[in-house]
Amino acid sequence: MITIRVPFIEDLAKNKSEYLRRVAKAKQKEIFMKMRLMYNPVGRAEAEKKEALAVLTRESKVIVPDLRIGFQDMGLVILKVSPLLTHIIKERMDSCQRFHSPREYKWIYWGHMPLNMGQMGVMTFGDITLDPDTGVFEAKDETAERLTLLIAEMKDVCVDMPILEASLVMLPAYKMKPDPVAFEKNKALLQGGLQYEVRASINKEINEGYVLICGFCGISDEKDGSPLLRCACKSIFYCCKVRRTS
């Protein structure tokens, strides 16, 4: 029998202090979307354990209920190698079952245990691109936990080849500062095995996803530079008094 998890409770309870920090910040600004939650993939060790369980019980591959929950923290990881070695990286990525290539030199991450969402398809957990001319191997993702797995995957793909540069940049999502503990963890993971110090930073100048829109016409405050007005209910914004009464 498979036990149904309650991911919102179990996963967030593991980082209670960070959860409380984000709740307080969201309440302070009265914008719920400042604390966004995203799905995370199952890790390698747990996926291997579940595969073994499926074999022992003669069940088909376990797909649900294996959703994991994490805080949205936008991030970017870059490894740079010699352009002469990019064909090796491409071959390794194309042959890795944890990735799917929708087009040449781009891959989407399925993880160690792909989650089939029925008609919605297979859930993806990040994008990786490779520039064959510059040797830039780049991953973008939306949670610190996803970045942890992608950093490990990228370094595995680049094994036995010199990594010329390595960097990690975290971007506040909806003006919410990224988890500092998770940031340091990913920085240490990226640093592992490298003889030089990796570049790691939190870019506070960019706020991924933080765009307020008028609840009536959908125009954003970035289009003409005029700030949107906030309704008395504090749950919606509008661009002018006409829109508010509408």
Side-chain angles (χ1 to χ4, degrees), residues 28 42 46 59 71 118 122 148 190 212:
Q28 177 187 355
V42 174
E46 186 178 2
E59 295 178 358
F71 304 112
V122 179
T148 298
L190 185 61
L212 298 178

Side-chain angles (χ1 to χ4, degrees), residues 48-195:
E48 291 175 350
K49 181 178 180 180
K50 287 184 177 293
E51 288 284 2
L53 177 63
V55 172
L56 289 174
T57 57
R58 295 184 180 180
E59 295 178 358
S60 59
K61 186 171 183 178
V62 181
I63 296 176
V64 212
D66 294 296
L67 295 175
R68 301 292 181 267
I69 300 297
F71 304 112
Q72 184 184 36
D73 282 338
M74 313 297 288
L76 176 68
V77 179
I78 296 177
L79 302 182
K80 187 173 182 179
V81 301
S82 168
L84 299 176
L85 299 174
T86 55
H87 69 285
I88 299 177
I89 292 179
K90 184 179 184 303
E91 290 174 0
R92 291 175 178 177
M93 291 293 291
D94 286 342
S95 62
C96 182
Q97 295 183 352
R98 295 184 294 278
F99 292 93
H100 168 68
S101 179
R103 68 171 187 262
E104 194 172 24
Y105 295 109
K106 179 175 181 177
W107 300 267
I108 54 177
Y109 187 46
W110 283 346
H112 293 275
M113 187 174 176
L115 302 178
N116 191 332
M117 306 303 291
Q119 294 182 351
M120 297 174 62
V122 179
M123 185 171 292
T124 62
F125 299 102
D127 300 325
I128 291 185
T129 58
L130 174 65
D131 189 326
D133 297 322
T134 63
V136 172
F137 193 30
E138 180 179 299
K140 295 179 180 179
D141 227 320
E142 296 186 80
T143 74
E145 293 83 2
R146 294 184 186 186
L147 282 174
T148 298
L149 293 174
L150 282 179
I151 290 172
E153 296 279 11
M154 294 171 73
K155 295 187 76 173
D156 282 347
V157 169
C158 294
V159 68
D160 298 328
M161 63 177 67
I163 299 176
L164 307 178
E165 297 178 19
S167 63
L168 167 66
V169 180
M170 297 302 297
L171 310 173
Y174 285 80
K175 297 188 177 181
M176 182 69 73
K177 183 180 178 181
D179 182 352
V181 175
F183 171 72
E184 292 298 330
K185 176 184 176 181
N186 282 335
K187 177 183 176 181
L189 179 61
L190 185 61
Q191 181 69 65
L194 300 179
Q195 301 303 315

